[in-house]
Amino acid sequence: MVLTRESVKNINPTALHGKSEYVFTSESVSEGHPDKVCDQISDAIVDAYIACAPEARCAIETLVTTNRVVIAGEVRGPDISHSEIEEIVRSTIKEIGYEQGGFHWQNVKIENLLHEQSADIAQGVDASGAKDEGAGDQGLMFGYACSETDVFMPAPIHYSHQILKRLADARHSGSAKNLGPDAKSQVTLLYKNGKPVKAAAVLVSTQHTEGTQQAAIREIVREHVLKVLPEGWMCDEEHFLINPTGKFVIGGPDGDAGLTGRKIIVDTYGGAAPHGGGAFSGKDPTKVDRSAAYAARYLAKNVVAAGLAEKCTIQIAYAIGVTDPISFYVNTAGTGLVDELALEKRLRELMSLSPRGIRNHLKLNNPIYKRTAAYGHFGRTPDADGGFPWEKLDLVDGLKDLI
């Protein structure tokens, strides 16, 4: 279906959402959440391998609990010693801010169980003779973008991330010394006619020092929520929920075990778009769970930024050891200005979606992954040193002429 700009403006939201007024909720977790501690450790190790050898292979899992870190998984590349891995782990924990009795960067016990990558997997992925490099696994990946925010992300997950990032910055700066590293946020927005208009509820649970009163935590959090939400969007007091259990002193890995890859919806679109199921952290970019999800976000974001749609979902699917994707699908949810088949064709012309093609186009063989492991992989600002390249808008000019 091809629509005009005017017809897109006049789309009946009931046809897209089932009703013209509804609420939608997304959550985020802080860098000190146990699962996110694991993601950051795993990605810090990936960065160390890629920094030494850009073609290194990594599939690294981390488990944390009370004063214990266990590293497991498969690698192929440079010889990084156990002492170097241990230093990476301790440094990451220290940066997050854990100096607590039950989890301290100096005292934590570290067990390193990394071993060589399976030869059976390697032979399917490696290029040989006339065969190009294949996908590191089968699977399906999704990318999404929408016009709800200036970073082309769904508003609930974007604001959830920003609230926690501001609280973490305040803690690191010393202006909120009574906050701890572990925290979660949840933002519920009211939508009218398909657009977010205000917060219906805001929930934040944040670790704090012993003796800090709940009322004090509430006012610290309020300050940052008000700076994140658009003016006039704040919910009423009844639905502004801060540490609803009343106390959150024991937190982080001492309060709850963590594992790499358990926050995939936090990492992506907060439930506003599909997820293929694969986690990102701990994986080198030959793993299409990671690289193809980045590519799909990159393509979807450029479609929306080019004005071709208000929303865009892209799915890519792969078979292990096979170079080209076995499917590629674009859906603009009835908001598109151009035929979706024509859009699919143009996107495939603008970017190779082979594992090597994605890595070369986005320059993914660089140590840029630890920074992705907290506050979302998407909706971030591309860094001068090559970080977050999938957030660039350099395909817009190649798409605009489709209108």
Side-chain angles (χ1 to χ4, degrees):
M1 177 174 64
V2 182
L3 304 174
T4 65
R5 290 184 183 274
E6 192 59 35
S7 64
V8 167
K9 293 177 184 177
N10 295 326
I11 286 176
N12 178 2
T14 304
L16 299 179
H17 306 286
K19 47 190 173 182
S20 60
E21 185 172 315
Y22 59 95
V23 294
F24 191 84
T25 303
S26 293
E27 73 159 350
S28 181
V29 299
S30 72
E31 65 203 57
H33 184 280
D35 295 330
K36 278 290 145 200
V37 173
C38 293
D39 286 345
Q40 289 164 92
I41 290 171
S42 292
D43 273 342
I45 297 171
V46 170
D47 280 352
Y49 274 92
I50 291 178
C52 294
E55 301 293 333
R57 301 282 170 79
C58 305
I60 297 167
E61 311 293 345
T62 302
L63 176 148
V64 295
T65 186
T66 302
N67 269 332
R68 172 77 68 169
V69 176
V70 180
I71 311 294
E74 302 78 46
V75 295
R76 192 179 79 186
D79 182 16
I80 298 181
S81 69
H82 280 227
S83 62
E84 290 174 294
I85 295 292
E86 181 173 316
E87 176 56 32
I88 290 168
V89 173
R90 294 192 189 281
S91 175
T92 301
I93 296 169
K94 183 179 182 181
E95 287 174 15
I96 294 168
Y98 275 111
E99 297 185 341
Q100 300 171 2
F103 197 72
H104 195 297
W105 64 272
Q106 287 181 315
N107 304 329
V108 66
K109 296 180 181 179
I110 301 168
E111 188 172 3
N112 182 353
L113 303 177
L114 292 176
H115 60 83
E116 285 292 313
Q117 182 188 48
S118 161
D120 290 347
I121 292 176
Q123 73 176 2
V125 177
D126 290 346
S128 61
K131 174 187 173 297
D132 195 5
E133 183 180 292
D137 201 353
Q138 71 177 53
L140 49 128
M141 299 84 212
F142 286 94
Y144 180 73
C146 64
S147 58
E148 290 181 16
T149 61
D150 59 1
V151 293
F152 301 97
M153 286 289 287
I157 187 67
H158 176 63
Y159 297 137
S160 294
H161 286 324
Q162 292 303 305
I163 289 168
L164 293 185
K165 183 64 169 64
R166 285 191 61 92
L167 289 172
D169 289 345
R171 175 174 60 85
H172 286 300
S173 73
S175 64
K177 293 180 179 180
N178 47 356
L179 298 185
D182 194 0
K184 300 178 76 171
S185 65
Q186 189 169 284
V187 173
T188 301
L189 295 185
L190 172 66
Y191 283 72
K192 291 185 178 181
N193 298 318
K195 302 290 185 182
V197 296
K198 68 168 295 184
V202 175
L203 166 62
V204 177
S205 295
T206 179
Q207 189 183 16
H208 58 84
T209 56
E210 187 71 65
T212 304
Q213 297 299 308
Q214 188 175 16
I217 298 296
R218 185 180 183 87
E219 294 313 307
I220 291 170
V221 173
R222 185 195 304 276
E223 173 190 347
H224 294 283
V225 171
L226 288 172
K227 289 180 179 177
V228 166
L229 293 177
E231 187 175 356
W233 278 39
M234 185 62 173
C235 64
D236 59 38
E237 285 298 296
E238 180 183 359
H239 295 96
F240 182 54
L241 305 171
I242 307 302
N243 285 5
T245 64
K247 185 178 181 180
F248 187 3
V249 173
I250 300 171
D254 187 32
D256 191 11
L259 291 168
T260 300
R262 283 206 303 196
K263 288 293 176 283
I264 59 176
I265 301 304
V266 170
D267 284 344
T268 54
Y269 307 102
H275 193 294
F280 301 158
S281 290
K283 299 176 182 177
D284 73 82
T286 67
K287 313 296 191 293
V288 286
D289 274 343
R290 181 167 220 161
S291 58
Y294 291 165
R297 160 63 178 177
Y298 171 64
L299 295 177
K301 182 177 181 180
N302 275 269
V303 167
V304 176
L308 302 187
E310 293 290 313
K311 300 181 179 182
C312 183
T313 302
I314 291 177
Q315 185 202 60
I316 313 173
Y318 292 86
I320 188 169
V322 178
T323 299
D324 291 323
I326 59 176
S327 72
F328 180 70
Y329 165 76
V330 176
N331 182 356
T332 54
T335 70
L337 300 181
V338 299
D339 181 78
E340 288 165 347
L341 291 177
L343 189 52
E344 290 174 8
K345 182 175 184 293
R346 176 61 61 85
L347 291 171
R348 294 295 297 271
E349 292 169 350
L350 290 172
M351 183 181 187
S352 166
L353 293 175
S354 70
R356 187 193 302 275
I358 293 171
R359 289 204 323 280
N360 288 344
H361 189 107
L362 295 177
K363 297 180 173 58
L364 296 180
N365 285 114
N366 286 300
I368 57 173
Y369 297 106
K370 180 184 174 185
R371 71 192 76 175
T372 69
Y375 311 114
H377 292 244
F378 307 128
R380 310 288 288 271
T381 302
D383 294 327
D385 67 351
F388 302 101
W390 48 88
E391 294 297 312
K392 291 183 178 180
L393 296 175
D394 51 4
L395 297 184
V396 166
D397 289 342
L399 289 167
K400 282 185 174 180
D401 67 339
L402 287 174
I403 300 177

